[in-house]
């Protein structure tokens, strides 16, 4: 949700910032802008509504001066529509200070009223502009940008990453953050700031995450971090584990195409090195999540949003079965308002690809404040959620750039399975032989997934192109197939803008079956008959029920499932696998279908309308 990049150093910052914005565009793409302190010491800005291409075009028409200090922003609108005027940066009245912002300043209305009463004329409808005016006024008092930040951040409520440059301080960018991400990139004679490391990873892999309520001042040869009161902070430097190439399209038509193809590796990398003698061992979860503590946990709550919440729903079945502990899944944004019962014997596990989703972060903070133990399942090194949790299990999916989550989803399920197996072992709920068999099944899943992706793609592409005019698609599943149905529907909504609903197949007869009419397309995720004949039989009955009402059934079923073949208008076969790895294989065809339907409709697969990759507002 809004991408931020800043640079100080000897290079031409405009090109460098535009390249950084290109890498961050997935965070928001309704408008973009840059501010440069040029070599003559003037502050200049360019900004445009629309995707980054519009700003690039503007820079061709009206080039901006060269200079070694600059910042850039790609926006996902909250306050004020996506117009040129509302695009960031926002300037102070005298035009000497430029600000970019990610987040929401919740008390902006009262701050704006105060400024208006004082004669300030606002030029945009954004909450951000109040920060520009407040910083300019504070700067006039102290003559120091960092000091001005200290003054102003104390007055802001809400979530913000705020960056500014001032014409009178060339070679300086100051940033502050609360509940919104900011990472420093450490270079040689140059330094960077970014919403995430993608902003600068092609220039340096040395990074420091700016902590909660901290201010950072970067110059070409120095980086200084302080808390909001001015106290010195030692940042923890880490090395970015992936290189710039991992976040490039590399010849694929879309990032999403690439990322679906990367799923087998994402899955394998998440499992890599986490077993000993065939058993899962998570040895570095920290003191608050020691084996002794986890053995005494009485309840687990999984908190997440969107796709990550469906990964949680899949894992709920497994963790409860293996660790014999009650598991609930809560949408992160509902969690705190429900005033959940929490204590130190409750383990709250958050699941987040970005590690910055504000709803999930707030849920984690709420859990901690009420004494619960917190574990993060996250794909982003150094992100806020793992840093604010007692422990972390990283998914090693590599950077996910397409807005629609794909490889992160399968690796989240895998990481949660690891947690479930770990808990099953230390709680004595799972015997070693069963544990080893489950691990074997998991380790075999990446190659089976590779085969599903390779074998089914062309067929699904044809299907999707036939269905380019479809207005409604339903998805059904039971047990771990149910969240897969939900995920299939979400993918279709977000990418192809088609009405899509996922249902537990058993729920259909309680109302939703009224939606089924002649020609209604229904995807059905069918469990293997080898694992539970009863479950399988129920799903086959559900298929009969919808076919009797005219549905067109697309079944995702185990190869050779004779009970389904006669009733499926289309069959997407899956290789034989265990019951817990079925969802990992079944989701890929649904992801491919959504991608190809969006393609067939000529839509932007990687950047669907109204969305952003990392949702850092509540
Ligand atoms: O970064 P997170 O995993 O916390 O993101 C959570 C959701 O916003 C995300 O999964 C979203 O639902 C995806 N766009 C779905 O494809």
């Amino acid at each position: 949700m809004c991408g931020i990049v800043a640079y100080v150093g000897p290079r031409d910052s405009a090109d460098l910032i535009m390249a950084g914005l290109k890498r961050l565009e997935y965070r928001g793409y309704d408008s973009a802008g840059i501010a440069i302190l040029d070599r003559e010491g003037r502050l200049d800005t360019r900004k445009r509504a629309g995707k980054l291409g519009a700003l690039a075009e503007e820079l061709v028409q009206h080039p901006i001066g060269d200079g070694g200090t600059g910042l850039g922003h790609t926006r996902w609108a909250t306050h004020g529509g996506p117009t040129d005027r509302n695009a960031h940066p926002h300037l102070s009245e005298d035009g000497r200070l430029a600000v970019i912002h990610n987040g929401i300043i919740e008390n902006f209305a009262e701050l704006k009223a105060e400024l208006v009463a004082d004669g300030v004329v606002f030029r945009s409808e954004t909450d951000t502009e109040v920060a520009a005016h407040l910083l300019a006024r504070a700067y006039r008092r102290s003559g120091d940008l960092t000091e001005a930040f200290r003054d102003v951040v104390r007055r802001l409520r809400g979530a913000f990453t705020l960056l500014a440059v001032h014409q009178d301080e060339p070679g300086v960018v100051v940033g502050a953050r609360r509940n919104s991400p900011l990472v420093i990139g450490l270079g040689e004679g140059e330094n960077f700031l970014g919403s995430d490391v993608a902003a600068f990873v092609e220039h340096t892999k040395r990074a420091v995450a700016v902590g909660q309520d901290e201010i950072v001042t970067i110059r070409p040869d120095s980086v200084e971090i302080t808390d909001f009161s001015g106290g010195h902070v030692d940042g923890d430097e880490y090395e970015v584990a992936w290189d710039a190439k991992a976040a490039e399209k590399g010849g694929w038509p879309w990032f999403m195409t690439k990322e679906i193809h990367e799923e087998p590796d994402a899955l394998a990398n998440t499992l890599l090195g986490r077993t000993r003698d065939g058993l899962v061992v998570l040895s570095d979860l920290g003191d608050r999540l020691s084996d002794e503590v986890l053995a005494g946990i009485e309840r687990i709550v999984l908190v997440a949003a969107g796709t990550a919440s469906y990964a949680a729903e899949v894992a709920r079945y497994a963790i409860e079965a293996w660790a014999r502990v009650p598991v609930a899944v809560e949408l992160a944004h509902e969690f705190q308002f429900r005033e959940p019962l929490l204590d130190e014997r409750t383990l709250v596990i958050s699941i987040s690809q970005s590690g910055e989703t504000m709803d999930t972060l707030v849920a984690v903070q709420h859990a901690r404040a009420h004494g619960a133990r917190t574990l993060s399942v996250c794909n982003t090194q150094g992100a806020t959620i793992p840093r604010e949790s007692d422990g972390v299990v990283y998914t090693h999916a590599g950077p996910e750039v397409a807005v629609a989550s794909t490889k992160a989803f399968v690796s989240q399920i895998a990481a949660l399975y690891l947690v479930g197996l770990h808990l099953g072992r230390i709680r004595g709920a799972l015997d070693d032989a069963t544990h080893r068999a489950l691990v074997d099944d998991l380790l075999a899943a990446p190659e089976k997934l590779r085969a599903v992706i390779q074998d089914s793609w062309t067929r699904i592409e044809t299907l999707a192109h036939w269905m380019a005019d479809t207005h409604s698609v339903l998805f059904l599943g039971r047990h771990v197939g149910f969240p897969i149905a939900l995920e299939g529907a979400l993918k279709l909504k977000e990418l192809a803008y088609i009405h899509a609903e996922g249902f537990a197949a058993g729920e259909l007869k309680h109302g939703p079956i009224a939606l089924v009419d002649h020609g209604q397309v229904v995807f059905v995720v069918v469990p293997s008959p080898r694992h539970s004949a009863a479950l399988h039989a129920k799903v086959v009955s559900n298929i009969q029920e919808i076919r009797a009402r005219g549905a067109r059934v697309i079944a995702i079923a185990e190869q050779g499932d004779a009970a389904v073949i006669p009733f499926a208008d289309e069959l997407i076969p899956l290789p034989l696998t265990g019951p817990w790895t079925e969802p990992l294989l079944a989701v890929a065809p649904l992801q491919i279908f959504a991608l190809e339907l969006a393609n067939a409709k000529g839509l932007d697969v990687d950047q669907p309308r109204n969305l952003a990759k990392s949702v850092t507002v509540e």
Side-chain angles (χ1 to χ4, degrees), residues 256 303-310 351-361 377-380 385 400 402-406 408-409 412 487 490-491 494-495 608 611-615:
M256 187 177 171
V303 292
T307 291
S309 77
Y310 300 142
I351 303 101
S352 174
Q353 187 284 131
S354 60
E356 301 292 350
T357 299
M358 179 60 76
D359 291 323
T360 310
L361 173 62
V377 169
C378 182
N379 193 42
T380 311
I385 294 174
E400 192 180 64
V403 164
S405 187
T406 53
F409 178 71
Q412 283 163 347
E487 174 62 1
L490 175 62
K491 282 287 152 295
E494 68 178 335
L495 293 175
L611 296 177
K613 180 73 180 162
S614 179
V615 185

Side-chain angles (χ1 to χ4, degrees), residues 380-560:
T380 311
Q381 246 181 317
T384 308
I385 294 174
R387 284 192 296 120
E388 295 208 11
S389 302
D390 295 320
V392 55
V393 176
Y394 280 112
T395 51
H396 296 300
E400 192 180 64
V401 177
V403 164
S405 187
T406 53
K407 61 177 179 171
F409 178 71
V410 291
S411 54
Q412 283 163 347
I413 295 174
L416 288 165
Y417 280 179
L418 293 174
V419 172
L421 291 166
H422 179 69
L423 290 172
R425 181 178 57 76
I426 59 181
R427 295 168 70 87
L430 195 62
D431 66 79
D432 284 0
T434 312
H435 188 153
R436 285 199 174 90
L438 290 165
V439 168
D440 285 349
D441 183 39
L442 258 182
L443 293 175
E447 287 320 305
K448 292 177 188 171
L449 177 54
R450 203 181 302 282
V452 172
I453 293 166
Q454 270 165 15
D455 299 347
S456 63
W457 199 297
T458 312
R459 177 104 176 274
I460 297 169
E461 183 181 352
T462 310
L463 202 62
H465 282 255
W466 281 342
M467 288 170 55
D469 295 330
T470 303
H471 295 294
S472 165
V473 180
L474 303 182
F475 295 80
L476 301 182
R478 278 181 184 248
H479 194 256
V480 287
F482 169 38
I484 297 303
L486 296 174
E487 174 62 1
L490 175 62
K491 282 287 152 295
L492 205 55
K493 281 181 245 199
E494 68 178 335
L495 293 175
Y497 317 151
I498 285 179
H499 169 252
E501 296 277 352
F503 296 108
E507 184 65 10
L508 211 61
K509 57 190 176 294
H510 298 285
I513 199 162
L515 290 170
V516 177
D517 199 357
H518 186 72
Q520 170 69 52
V521 175
V522 185
F523 276 84
V524 185
V525 180
V526 186
S528 162
R530 294 174 304 111
H531 307 311
S532 168
L535 188 71
H536 177 260
K538 295 268 183 295
V539 176
V540 174
S541 301
N542 297 140
I543 292 179
Q544 312 271 23
E545 289 156 13
I546 54 172
R547 282 213 11 134
R549 287 158 179 87
R552 186 159 168 236
V553 172
I554 305 176
I556 300 174
E558 185 173 276
Q559 60 195 40

Side-chain angles (χ1 to χ4, degrees), residues 26 51 69 72-73 110 112 129 189 224 258 276 290-291 293 344 401 452 486:
Y26 67 91
K51 292 193 175 170
T69 309
H73 186 267
E110 74 191 58
K112 183 171 178 177
E129 196 181 338
E224 197 194 348
K258 175 184 178 235
R276 220 178 287 154
S290 65
D291 286 3
V293 168
E344 59 165 14
V401 177
V452 172
L486 296 174

